Amino acid sequence: LARALRCRNILYMLTAAPLAARSYIALCSLAAAGRGHLGVVIRAANLTDPGDCEALCCVRKPVEFVVEQGSKGFLGQVAVLEPEVARRRRVQARLGSAIRDKARVLIAADAGAAELAVIGTVDCVALPAGKGRRAMGPELPQRLLIRNLWVAEAFRRQGIGRRLMDAAEELAAEMHIEFLSLDVLADNEPARRLYEGLGFTDLEPPPVPVPNWLRGALSLGKALAPPGVTAEARGVH
């Protein structure tokens, strides 16, 4: 039995692990190439495509507790899973909320790379009209919730985050949604500058000045132009 378990573990390492390793190596190679020389393409990820899912899993931390390949359990016992089971659990741990919420995941990747290496992502979730994050907050229209905006550290300050947000606006227009919303920590100054520069405003401004550390998270929103207005007119570039 012990020999069979070792063989199954080796099989997983020979199948799933190389794909993750190649994605990581590709990402490191892009970083080594230097700033300002990337042909970055923004596109929607296909969450039914194993390649897209694995590339996303390589850059996302687990957000759901799932027993994965190599996890230690009771008395330090290491989990050994069938390769397909291991793959499904890896995806569930990192993309389970996106799949459950039917999010459209946009990715930024190098257009000329042989292996898909994700250098930025953002999730877009369509929500009906109603309250936002806070029960006492204002009523909001049908909207596209923006969450999990992320750009690899080596590629920040190159406009990739702005391009992902522009793509989210284009997606909202395609879905005939005229309002974007998001939450951001009040003391996250770089993110706030990005969102405010894109036209997002505080949905719940306090009546008197309040320190950022006391406010915690802010709810920001942006009304978009009605369908039919060009991207240039909306300020998307």
Side-chain angles (χ1 to χ4, degrees):
L1 177 60
R3 179 178 296 177
L5 291 175
R6 285 198 298 271
C7 290
R8 186 168 61 180
N9 194 24
I10 291 171
L11 178 61
Y12 169 77
M13 294 175 65
L14 291 175
T15 55
L19 180 57
R22 290 197 303 270
S23 295
Y24 176 76
I25 292 170
L27 182 59
C28 292
S29 299
L30 286 174
R35 297 177 180 271
H37 300 286
L38 293 177
V40 178
V41 61
I42 309 294
R43 68 170 176 86
N46 181 356
L47 297 186
T48 64
D49 183 308
D52 279 10
C53 285
E54 180 56 33
L56 283 166
C57 286
C58 287
V59 299
R60 290 201 174 188
K61 296 180 180 178
V63 294
E64 295 184 7
F65 176 74
V66 177
V67 177
E68 295 189 67
Q69 175 73 18
S71 299
K72 290 186 177 180
F74 183 65
L75 297 179
Q77 184 177 7
V78 178
V80 180
L81 308 171
E82 294 285 353
E84 180 58 24
V85 174
R87 187 194 67 80
R88 289 200 306 266
R89 291 192 179 183
R90 177 172 166 81
V91 171
Q92 180 183 349
R94 293 158 180 81
L95 298 173
S97 61
I99 295 172
R100 182 171 56 253
D101 296 338
K102 299 180 180 179
R104 300 283 294 274
V105 180
L106 303 177
I107 61 175
D110 176 44
E115 296 284 349
L116 175 60
V118 174
I119 59 176
T121 72
V122 65
D123 294 358
C124 305
V125 181
L127 295 177
K131 294 289 185 181
R133 186 169 58 89
R134 295 183 178 87
M136 300 299 292
E139 289 286 337
L140 299 176
Q142 180 191 22
R143 60 201 182 279
L144 195 66
L145 174 65
I146 307 299
R147 68 186 190 191
N148 297 331
L149 176 64
W150 170 85
V151 176
E153 185 173 358
F155 305 100
R156 293 174 186 171
R157 298 181 179 85
Q158 298 183 49
I160 297 174
R162 179 178 289 269
R163 287 186 59 188
L164 284 165
M165 292 296 294
D166 288 347
E169 287 198 26
E170 292 291 332
L171 176 62
E174 293 172 7
M175 300 173 70
H176 303 286
I177 295 176
E178 300 178 21
F179 196 84
L180 302 180
S181 68
L182 58 85
D183 296 323
V184 61
L185 292 176
D187 58 359
N188 188 343
E189 292 295 338
R192 287 184 60 187
R193 285 197 300 269
L194 170 64
Y195 299 139
E196 290 167 0
L198 290 170
F200 283 81
T201 58
D202 195 340
L203 295 175
E204 303 173 39
V208 296
V210 177
N212 286 340
W213 64 267
L214 189 58
R215 292 199 66 188
L218 306 181
S219 293
L220 306 182
K222 177 180 179 179
L224 303 179
V229 178
T230 64
E232 290 77 10
R234 293 200 313 273
V236 176
H237 41 260

